Amino acid sequence: QEPYWFKVLAELLDSKNCFGWPDCAMSFSYSPQFFTHFPKYHAPHLKPGEEHKDPGDEIRVQCLSSCGAWLTEYNNCKRRIESRTDGKGDCKGQFEELAQCQDHCVAHEIFHHVK
């Protein structure tokens, strides 16, 4: 048993009913080509051939200097692993600490470049 509102809605949406209008023609022409071409975006301060520089690239290099202790620890670990003959070990922990320190520094600096 269908509820009453379901029957009323089905009658309203019936293609023969058309909400009381004699024909169901659209009030605007429909074209399947609508919005298929988007213009290429150029930032207003850049020339058409010029590429945008990511400020994060420069900031990451600068932030390595503030994470010098982690960088030293990571480099020491790499030297220890390279000197081993059994091929065991990795420096994932030291790398993660270095990356976390660098990301923390970048997070504070990057928003100064957002307009």
Side-chain angles (χ1 to χ4, degrees):
Q1 184 75 354
E2 296 173 340
Y4 175 74
W5 63 268
F6 187 79
K7 291 179 183 176
V8 171
L9 183 63
E11 288 176 14
L12 285 174
L13 295 177
D14 186 14
S15 64
K16 296 176 186 171
N17 190 354
C18 293
F19 300 105
W21 293 94
D23 60 357
C24 292
M26 297 175 80
S27 62
F28 59 90
S29 62
Y30 174 75
S31 170
Q33 299 298 319
F34 191 64
F35 282 134
T36 57
H37 175 71
F38 295 99
K40 187 170 181 173
Y41 174 75
H42 293 288
H45 60 281
L46 297 177
K47 296 176 183 170
E50 189 177 7
E51 290 292 323
H52 177 69
K53 284 186 359 185
D54 183 12
D57 295 338
E58 294 174 8
I59 294 172
R60 281 186 195 89
V61 174
Q62 293 170 359
C63 284
L64 275 179
S65 64
S66 67
C67 300
W70 291 114
L71 182 60
T72 303
E73 190 169 328
Y74 175 69
N75 287 333
N76 290 340
C77 177
K78 279 180 51 177
R79 272 190 239 105
R80 282 194 310 271
I81 297 298
E82 289 171 357
S83 67
R84 290 181 71 154
T85 57
D86 60 357
K88 293 183 180 179
D90 59 25
C91 298
K92 289 179 186 175
Q94 289 82 357
F95 180 77
E96 287 176 7
E97 292 292 340
L98 174 62
Q100 185 177 6
C101 177
Q102 189 180 23
D103 288 345
H104 182 78
C105 174
V106 169
H108 288 287
E109 298 294 325
I110 195 74
F111 289 105
H112 296 293
H113 297 274
V114 176
K115 293 182 180 180

